[in-house]
Amino acid sequence: MTTQSQQSGRGSGTSPDPSPADAGPAGPGDAAGAPGRSRRRLNFTLAGAALFMFFVTWSLSWSLFAIWLTQEIGLSAGRSSLVISANAIGCLLVMPVYGFLQDRLGLRKNLLYWIAALMLLVGPLYIYVYGPLLKSHFVLGLVIGSAYLAMAFAVAVGTLESYIERLGRFHGFEFGRARMFGSLGWAAATFFAGRLFNIDPDLNFWAASLSAAVFLGLLLALRVTGGRRAAAVDHAASSVSVADVKSLFRYPAFWGLLLFVVAVTATYNTYDAMFPSYFASLFSTTAEGNRMFSDLNSAQVFLEAGGMALAPFLVNRLGPKRSLLVAGCIMATRILLSGVVTDPVAISAVKLLHAVELPIMLIAIFKYINRHFESRLSSSIYLVGFQLATQVGAAVISPLAGMGYDSIGYQKTYLVLGCLVAVFTLLSVRTLRADAKGLPEAVPADPLTDAPAERPAPAKV
């Protein structure tokens, strides 16, 4: 497979935010159809706002999902893990389709409109369909819930992120700066989610449907102007074929990425999915635990938002591979510490490590993809090589972890999971492709930057 390297200031947006000073005076590029400065600034604002509202909707319906399953629906920890595993399997079926479609669409928003329509149904579906079915017809609830959650949220988030990352390369702004608003949206919603849950869990789901309507309005306002560069993006997108996606599996860098994601990221996500239930059990009452977790999660995600703004500086300095390894070390540390400390204050401090890990991981994974693969396949690679691989791992690991929770308890299970993450992070030193290894002298032009790709020069901070 032809590799796609980053030129200086490329990738998931190594150039700064499109301010008037950065954009420079209008010139021939604008006359040729490049977006004007006002449209670039407006699209950055709309993209950030859309991410904010998407994560508000997702947080209201998902941040207390494990607690909802155990306390409201009445499932055991083992059965709750089966629900999470079923959700992961649903993602396996949806992710390749979403990734391929978004690569074919380029900068068009057709798939995002479909996602927004599904998000509008979140309140009625949770309250009148998903929850009742899990109580009365568990298997049917698994099937319907996993299909819906995959299409509306679990896969949709990767689709939206890959679209915004591509839009950032088109306009010349850092993806991390736009993604920061997503973290702020999650934090803002999570702050109220625990309180609403203690009053009536259904309030969270109705509020989620309302925020989904705002998300749809922002998508309608987001518009990519036409012209030579936009036409080039559409042309490149239309050339994506199933054979191109299949060719990824013949590329060693793709398998190295899959190993890291399945063994490290998926194991960590399995741990993190049931962590709210464990955290709440450390308090004298479940209501107090729910409220404390909601407050802590909100504080963590506010810190995460700041990390999204700062992570590009670190990732540009360390490089994508080293940054992924740093994220792996942080994940292993958090899991292992969760198996050791039991004091609510100490476990709260451990939870905050997520605010350090996630920004580094998310920025690094996009930069790794754009350094080693063709940019026109970025959505497929992100959704298959990162998101889908994570769900494959979760589908396998989550039931095993669930048996561990029920038989030996949370803490001992965390120690086992933490050791696995540490071992595979160490192996990834060899299996992840070096940032400067095997890059070609010349690769196809990137229509998002309207320039030929070159060997990567030191990225500007």
Side-chain angles (χ1 to χ4, degrees), residues 1-56:
M1 176 181 173
T2 304
T3 58
Q4 178 71 41
S5 63
Q6 290 174 307
Q7 65 185 55
S8 177
R10 250 192 73 208
S12 55
T14 53
S15 60
D17 214 322
S19 63
D22 296 329
D30 291 323
R37 287 172 293 179
S38 60
R39 171 50 61 177
R40 292 196 294 266
R41 290 195 299 270
L42 178 59
N43 276 353
F44 173 79
T45 301
L46 291 171
L51 282 164
F52 182 92
M53 295 311 302
F54 178 91
F55 277 87
V56 165

Short mmCIF file of all heavy atoms in Angstrom, two decimals, residues 1-56:
data_model
loop_
_atom_site.label_atom_id
_atom_site.label_comp_id
_atom_site.label_asym_id
_atom_site.label_seq_id
_atom_site.Cartn_x
_atom_site.Cartn_y
_atom_site.Cartn_z
N MET A 1 0.85 -1.20 0.00
CA MET A 1 0.00 0.00 0.00
C MET A 1 0.87 1.24 0.00
O MET A 1 1.89 1.31 0.68
CB MET A 1 -0.88 0.00 1.26
CG MET A 1 -1.72 1.25 1.41
SD MET A 1 -2.69 1.19 2.91
CE MET A 1 -3.35 2.85 2.86
N THR A 2 0.48 2.23 -0.75
CA THR A 2 1.23 3.48 -0.78
C THR A 2 1.08 4.21 0.53
O THR A 2 -0.02 4.38 1.02
CB THR A 2 0.72 4.39 -1.91
OG1 THR A 2 0.80 3.68 -3.13
CG2 THR A 2 1.53 5.65 -2.00
N THR A 3 2.18 4.61 1.12
CA THR A 3 2.09 5.36 2.37
C THR A 3 1.86 6.82 2.08
O THR A 3 2.15 7.31 1.01
CB THR A 3 3.38 5.20 3.20
OG1 THR A 3 4.47 5.66 2.39
CG2 THR A 3 3.61 3.76 3.60
N GLN A 4 1.35 7.51 3.09
CA GLN A 4 1.10 8.96 2.95
C GLN A 4 1.78 9.65 4.12
O GLN A 4 1.42 9.46 5.26
CB GLN A 4 -0.40 9.24 2.99
CG GLN A 4 -0.74 10.72 2.90
CD GLN A 4 -0.47 11.26 1.52
OE1 GLN A 4 -0.75 10.63 0.53
NE2 GLN A 4 0.09 12.44 1.46
N SER A 5 2.82 10.44 3.84
CA SER A 5 3.53 11.12 4.91
C SER A 5 2.95 12.48 5.13
O SER A 5 2.14 12.96 4.37
CB SER A 5 5.02 11.24 4.56
OG SER A 5 5.17 12.02 3.40
N GLN A 6 3.39 13.11 6.23
CA GLN A 6 2.93 14.46 6.58
C GLN A 6 3.98 15.46 6.14
O GLN A 6 5.16 15.26 6.36
CB GLN A 6 2.76 14.62 8.09
CG GLN A 6 1.60 13.84 8.65
CD GLN A 6 1.62 13.95 10.14
OE1 GLN A 6 2.64 13.68 10.76
NE2 GLN A 6 0.53 14.38 10.71
N GLN A 7 3.54 16.53 5.56
CA GLN A 7 4.44 17.64 5.37
C GLN A 7 4.39 18.49 6.63
O GLN A 7 3.54 18.30 7.47
CB GLN A 7 4.04 18.47 4.16
CG GLN A 7 2.69 19.16 4.32
CD GLN A 7 2.29 19.86 3.06
OE1 GLN A 7 2.23 19.26 2.01
NE2 GLN A 7 2.01 21.12 3.17
N SER A 8 5.33 19.40 6.76
CA SER A 8 5.33 20.25 7.94
C SER A 8 4.04 21.02 8.02
O SER A 8 3.62 21.66 7.09
CB SER A 8 6.50 21.25 7.86
OG SER A 8 6.49 22.12 8.96
N GLY A 9 3.37 20.89 9.21
CA GLY A 9 2.11 21.59 9.39
C GLY A 9 0.91 20.83 8.89
O GLY A 9 -0.17 21.36 8.83
N ARG A 10 1.09 19.54 8.52
CA ARG A 10 -0.02 18.75 8.03
C ARG A 10 -0.47 17.78 9.08
O ARG A 10 -0.24 17.94 10.24
CB ARG A 10 0.41 17.98 6.78
CG ARG A 10 -0.23 18.49 5.52
CD ARG A 10 0.01 17.53 4.40
NE ARG A 10 -0.81 16.35 4.57
CZ ARG A 10 -0.48 15.18 4.12
NH1 ARG A 10 0.63 14.97 3.52
NH2 ARG A 10 -1.27 14.16 4.30
N GLY A 11 -1.17 16.70 8.63
CA GLY A 11 -1.65 15.69 9.54
C GLY A 11 -2.97 16.11 10.09
O GLY A 11 -3.81 16.65 9.42
N SER A 12 -3.17 15.84 11.39
CA SER A 12 -4.43 16.20 11.99
C SER A 12 -4.41 17.65 12.36
O SER A 12 -4.94 18.07 13.35
CB SER A 12 -4.72 15.32 13.20
OG SER A 12 -3.67 15.37 14.10
N GLY A 13 -3.76 18.44 11.56
CA GLY A 13 -3.79 19.86 11.74
C GLY A 13 -2.68 20.34 12.60
O GLY A 13 -2.86 20.63 13.76
N THR A 14 -1.46 20.43 12.10
CA THR A 14 -0.39 20.97 12.91
C THR A 14 -0.26 22.46 12.76
O THR A 14 0.57 23.08 13.38
CB THR A 14 0.96 20.31 12.54
OG1 THR A 14 1.15 20.43 11.14
CG2 THR A 14 0.97 18.85 12.92
N SER A 15 -1.05 23.05 11.90
CA SER A 15 -1.04 24.48 11.78
C SER A 15 -1.99 25.09 12.76
O SER A 15 -2.91 24.45 13.22
CB SER A 15 -1.42 24.90 10.35
OG SER A 15 -2.70 24.42 10.04
N PRO A 16 -1.80 26.34 13.11
CA PRO A 16 -2.64 26.92 14.13
C PRO A 16 -4.02 27.26 13.66
O PRO A 16 -4.38 27.14 12.52
CB PRO A 16 -1.86 28.19 14.52
CG PRO A 16 -1.07 28.53 13.31
CD PRO A 16 -0.77 27.24 12.63
N ASP A 17 -4.82 27.64 14.58
CA ASP A 17 -6.18 28.05 14.41
C ASP A 17 -6.34 29.20 13.43
O ASP A 17 -5.54 30.10 13.45
CB ASP A 17 -6.52 28.54 15.75
CG ASP A 17 -7.84 28.35 16.20
OD1 ASP A 17 -8.72 28.44 15.48
OD2 ASP A 17 -7.89 28.17 17.35
N PRO A 18 -7.31 29.19 12.58
CA PRO A 18 -7.38 30.18 11.51
C PRO A 18 -7.84 31.55 11.99
O PRO A 18 -8.99 31.91 11.88
CB PRO A 18 -8.40 29.58 10.54
CG PRO A 18 -9.27 28.75 11.40
CD PRO A 18 -8.44 28.26 12.52
N SER A 19 -6.93 32.29 12.54
CA SER A 19 -7.23 33.66 12.91
C SER A 19 -6.92 34.55 11.73
O SER A 19 -6.24 34.16 10.80
CB SER A 19 -6.37 34.08 14.11
OG SER A 19 -5.03 34.05 13.76
N PRO A 20 -7.38 35.80 11.73
CA PRO A 20 -7.10 36.67 10.60
C PRO A 20 -5.63 36.82 10.33
O PRO A 20 -5.19 36.85 9.19
CB PRO A 20 -7.74 38.00 11.02
CG PRO A 20 -8.84 37.60 11.95
CD PRO A 20 -8.32 36.41 12.68
N ALA A 21 -4.83 36.88 11.39
CA ALA A 21 -3.39 37.04 11.20
C ALA A 21 -2.79 35.83 10.53
O ALA A 21 -1.91 35.91 9.69
CB ALA A 21 -2.72 37.31 12.54
N ASP A 22 -3.29 34.63 10.94
CA ASP A 22 -2.75 33.42 10.36
C ASP A 22 -3.16 33.26 8.90
O ASP A 22 -2.43 32.75 8.09
CB ASP A 22 -3.26 32.19 11.15
CG ASP A 22 -2.76 32.19 12.58
OD1 ASP A 22 -1.65 32.69 12.78
OD2 ASP A 22 -3.46 31.69 13.47
N ALA A 23 -4.39 33.69 8.62
CA ALA A 23 -4.90 33.46 7.27
C ALA A 23 -4.19 34.31 6.24
O ALA A 23 -4.03 33.92 5.10
CB ALA A 23 -6.40 33.75 7.25
N GLY A 24 -3.73 35.46 6.64
CA GLY A 24 -3.04 36.32 5.70
C GLY A 24 -3.99 37.04 4.79
O GLY A 24 -5.19 36.82 4.81
N PRO A 25 -3.50 37.91 3.97
CA PRO A 25 -4.39 38.65 3.07
C PRO A 25 -4.97 37.77 2.00
O PRO A 25 -4.42 36.74 1.65
CB PRO A 25 -3.43 39.70 2.47
CG PRO A 25 -2.09 39.07 2.54
CD PRO A 25 -2.08 38.26 3.79
N ALA A 26 -6.09 38.21 1.49
CA ALA A 26 -6.72 37.46 0.40
C ALA A 26 -5.81 37.48 -0.80
O ALA A 26 -5.14 38.46 -1.10
CB ALA A 26 -8.07 38.08 0.07
N GLY A 27 -5.73 36.36 -1.48
CA GLY A 27 -4.84 36.27 -2.62
C GLY A 27 -5.42 35.40 -3.69
O GLY A 27 -6.60 35.11 -3.73
N PRO A 28 -4.58 34.91 -4.58
CA PRO A 28 -5.04 34.11 -5.69
C PRO A 28 -5.77 32.86 -5.25
O PRO A 28 -6.68 32.39 -5.91
CB PRO A 28 -3.76 33.77 -6.46
CG PRO A 28 -2.79 34.82 -6.06
CD PRO A 28 -3.14 35.22 -4.68
N GLY A 29 -5.32 32.30 -4.09
CA GLY A 29 -5.99 31.10 -3.61
C GLY A 29 -7.44 31.33 -3.34
O GLY A 29 -8.29 30.50 -3.63
N ASP A 30 -7.77 32.49 -2.75
CA ASP A 30 -9.16 32.79 -2.47
C ASP A 30 -9.93 32.95 -3.77
O ASP A 30 -11.05 32.51 -3.91
CB ASP A 30 -9.28 34.07 -1.63
CG ASP A 30 -8.74 33.88 -0.24
OD1 ASP A 30 -8.94 32.78 0.29
OD2 ASP A 30 -8.14 34.81 0.31
N ALA A 31 -9.31 33.59 -4.73
CA ALA A 31 -9.97 33.78 -6.02
C ALA A 31 -10.22 32.46 -6.71
O ALA A 31 -11.17 32.29 -7.45
CB ALA A 31 -9.14 34.70 -6.90
N ALA A 32 -9.34 31.49 -6.45
CA ALA A 32 -9.47 30.18 -7.09
C ALA A 32 -10.49 29.30 -6.40
O ALA A 32 -10.74 28.20 -6.82
CB ALA A 32 -8.12 29.47 -7.11
N GLY A 33 -11.06 29.79 -5.34
CA GLY A 33 -12.11 29.01 -4.71
C GLY A 33 -11.78 28.54 -3.32
O GLY A 33 -12.56 27.82 -2.72
N ALA A 34 -10.61 28.86 -2.76
CA ALA A 34 -10.31 28.48 -1.39
C ALA A 34 -11.24 29.24 -0.46
O ALA A 34 -11.68 30.33 -0.75
CB ALA A 34 -8.85 28.82 -1.06
N PRO A 35 -11.61 28.64 0.68
CA PRO A 35 -12.57 29.29 1.56
C PRO A 35 -12.04 30.62 2.08
O PRO A 35 -10.87 30.76 2.39
CB PRO A 35 -12.73 28.29 2.70
CG PRO A 35 -11.92 27.11 2.37
CD PRO A 35 -11.12 27.38 1.16
N GLY A 36 -12.92 31.61 2.17
CA GLY A 36 -12.55 32.89 2.73
C GLY A 36 -12.28 32.80 4.20
O GLY A 36 -12.70 31.86 4.88
N ARG A 37 -11.60 33.83 4.73
CA ARG A 37 -11.23 33.80 6.14
C ARG A 37 -12.45 33.77 7.05
O ARG A 37 -12.46 33.08 8.07
CB ARG A 37 -10.34 35.01 6.46
CG ARG A 37 -8.94 34.89 5.90
CD ARG A 37 -8.17 36.18 6.07
NE ARG A 37 -8.74 37.24 5.23
CZ ARG A 37 -8.28 38.49 5.20
NH1 ARG A 37 -7.25 38.82 5.96
NH2 ARG A 37 -8.83 39.39 4.41
N SER A 38 -13.49 34.52 6.71
CA SER A 38 -14.67 34.54 7.56
C SER A 38 -15.34 33.17 7.61
O SER A 38 -15.79 32.72 8.66
CB SER A 38 -15.66 35.59 7.07
OG SER A 38 -16.08 35.30 5.74
N ARG A 39 -15.40 32.48 6.47
CA ARG A 39 -15.98 31.14 6.44
C ARG A 39 -15.12 30.16 7.22
O ARG A 39 -15.63 29.28 7.92
CB ARG A 39 -16.17 30.69 4.99
CG ARG A 39 -16.56 29.23 4.80
CD ARG A 39 -17.73 28.76 5.64
NE ARG A 39 -18.97 29.48 5.38
CZ ARG A 39 -20.13 29.19 5.97
NH1 ARG A 39 -20.19 28.21 6.87
NH2 ARG A 39 -21.21 29.89 5.72
N ARG A 40 -13.79 30.28 7.12
CA ARG A 40 -12.91 29.39 7.88
C ARG A 40 -13.12 29.57 9.36
O ARG A 40 -13.21 28.59 10.11
CB ARG A 40 -11.44 29.66 7.50
CG ARG A 40 -11.07 29.27 6.08
CD ARG A 40 -9.58 29.18 5.89
NE ARG A 40 -8.91 30.46 6.00
CZ ARG A 40 -8.64 31.25 4.97
NH1 ARG A 40 -9.02 30.90 3.76
NH2 ARG A 40 -8.00 32.39 5.16
N ARG A 41 -13.18 30.82 9.81
CA ARG A 41 -13.40 31.06 11.24
C ARG A 41 -14.78 30.57 11.68
O ARG A 41 -14.93 29.98 12.75
CB ARG A 41 -13.26 32.56 11.55
CG ARG A 41 -11.83 33.08 11.44
CD ARG A 41 -11.70 34.45 12.09
NE ARG A 41 -12.55 35.44 11.46
CZ ARG A 41 -12.19 36.22 10.44
NH1 ARG A 41 -10.95 36.09 9.94
NH2 ARG A 41 -13.01 37.10 9.91
N LEU A 42 -15.78 30.79 10.83
CA LEU A 42 -17.13 30.36 11.17
C LEU A 42 -17.21 28.84 11.25
O LEU A 42 -17.83 28.28 12.16
CB LEU A 42 -18.12 30.89 10.14
CG LEU A 42 -19.59 30.48 10.33
CD1 LEU A 42 -20.11 30.94 11.69
CD2 LEU A 42 -20.45 31.03 9.20
N ASN A 43 -16.58 28.15 10.30
CA ASN A 43 -16.62 26.69 10.32
C ASN A 43 -15.88 26.12 11.52
O ASN A 43 -16.29 25.10 12.07
CB ASN A 43 -16.03 26.13 9.02
CG ASN A 43 -17.06 26.08 7.90
OD1 ASN A 43 -18.24 26.34 8.11
ND2 ASN A 43 -16.61 25.75 6.70
N PHE A 44 -14.79 26.75 11.93
CA PHE A 44 -14.10 26.31 13.15
C PHE A 44 -15.04 26.44 14.35
O PHE A 44 -15.14 25.54 15.19
CB PHE A 44 -12.83 27.12 13.37
CG PHE A 44 -12.16 26.84 14.69
CD1 PHE A 44 -11.39 25.71 14.88
CD2 PHE A 44 -12.32 27.71 15.77
CE1 PHE A 44 -10.79 25.44 16.10
CE2 PHE A 44 -11.73 27.46 16.99
CZ PHE A 44 -10.95 26.32 17.15
N THR A 45 -15.73 27.58 14.44
CA THR A 45 -16.66 27.80 15.55
C THR A 45 -17.81 26.81 15.52
O THR A 45 -18.18 26.22 16.55
CB THR A 45 -17.21 29.24 15.49
OG1 THR A 45 -16.13 30.17 15.55
CG2 THR A 45 -18.15 29.51 16.65
N LEU A 46 -18.39 26.59 14.33
CA LEU A 46 -19.50 25.66 14.20
C LEU A 46 -19.06 24.23 14.48
O LEU A 46 -19.80 23.44 15.09
CB LEU A 46 -20.11 25.76 12.81
CG LEU A 46 -20.87 27.05 12.49
CD1 LEU A 46 -21.23 27.11 11.01
CD2 LEU A 46 -22.14 27.16 13.34
N ALA A 47 -17.85 23.87 14.03
CA ALA A 47 -17.34 22.52 14.29
C ALA A 47 -17.16 22.29 15.78
O ALA A 47 -17.53 21.24 16.32
CB ALA A 47 -16.01 22.31 13.55
N GLY A 48 -16.57 23.29 16.48
CA GLY A 48 -16.41 23.17 17.92
C GLY A 48 -17.75 23.08 18.63
O GLY A 48 -17.93 22.27 19.55
N ALA A 49 -18.72 23.89 18.20
CA ALA A 49 -20.05 23.87 18.83
C ALA A 49 -20.76 22.54 18.56
O ALA A 49 -21.45 22.00 19.44
CB ALA A 49 -20.89 25.03 18.31
N ALA A 50 -20.60 22.00 17.34
CA ALA A 50 -21.22 20.71 17.03
C ALA A 50 -20.63 19.60 17.89
O ALA A 50 -21.36 18.73 18.40
CB ALA A 50 -21.04 20.39 15.54
N LEU A 51 -19.31 19.60 18.06
CA LEU A 51 -18.68 18.63 18.94
C LEU A 51 -19.19 18.79 20.37
O LEU A 51 -19.45 17.81 21.07
CB LEU A 51 -17.16 18.79 18.90
CG LEU A 51 -16.47 18.19 17.67
CD1 LEU A 51 -15.05 18.74 17.54
CD2 LEU A 51 -16.42 16.67 17.76
N PHE A 52 -19.34 20.03 20.82
CA PHE A 52 -19.85 20.31 22.17
C PHE A 52 -21.23 19.67 22.36
O PHE A 52 -21.46 18.93 23.33
CB PHE A 52 -19.93 21.82 22.39
CG PHE A 52 -20.40 22.23 23.76
CD1 PHE A 52 -19.48 22.46 24.77
CD2 PHE A 52 -21.75 22.38 24.03
CE1 PHE A 52 -19.89 22.83 26.04
CE2 PHE A 52 -22.18 22.75 25.30
CZ PHE A 52 -21.25 22.98 26.31
N MET A 53 -22.15 19.90 21.43
CA MET A 53 -23.51 19.40 21.58
C MET A 53 -23.58 17.89 21.38
O MET A 53 -24.40 17.21 22.02
CB MET A 53 -24.45 20.11 20.61
CG MET A 53 -24.62 21.60 20.88
SD MET A 53 -24.96 22.03 22.61
CE MET A 53 -26.46 21.08 22.93
N PHE A 54 -22.74 17.34 20.51
CA PHE A 54 -22.72 15.88 20.37
C PHE A 54 -22.33 15.23 21.69
O PHE A 54 -22.96 14.27 22.14
CB PHE A 54 -21.75 15.45 19.26
CG PHE A 54 -21.65 13.95 19.12
CD1 PHE A 54 -22.48 13.29 18.23
CD2 PHE A 54 -20.75 13.21 19.87
CE1 PHE A 54 -22.41 11.90 18.10
CE2 PHE A 54 -20.68 11.83 19.75
CZ PHE A 54 -21.51 11.17 18.86
N PHE A 55 -21.29 15.75 22.31
CA PHE A 55 -20.81 15.16 23.55
C PHE A 55 -21.75 15.43 24.72
O PHE A 55 -21.82 14.64 25.66
CB PHE A 55 -19.39 15.62 23.86
CG PHE A 55 -18.34 14.83 23.14
CD1 PHE A 55 -17.94 15.18 21.86
CD2 PHE A 55 -17.76 13.71 23.72
CE1 PHE A 55 -16.99 14.45 21.17
CE2 PHE A 55 -16.81 12.97 23.05
CZ PHE A 55 -16.42 13.33 21.78
N VAL A 56 -22.48 16.54 24.69
CA VAL A 56 -23.54 16.76 25.68
C VAL A 56 -24.57 15.65 25.57
O VAL A 56 -24.97 15.03 26.57
CB VAL A 56 -24.19 18.14 25.48
CG1 VAL A 56 -25.52 18.22 26.25
CG2 VAL A 56 -23.26 19.25 25.97
#
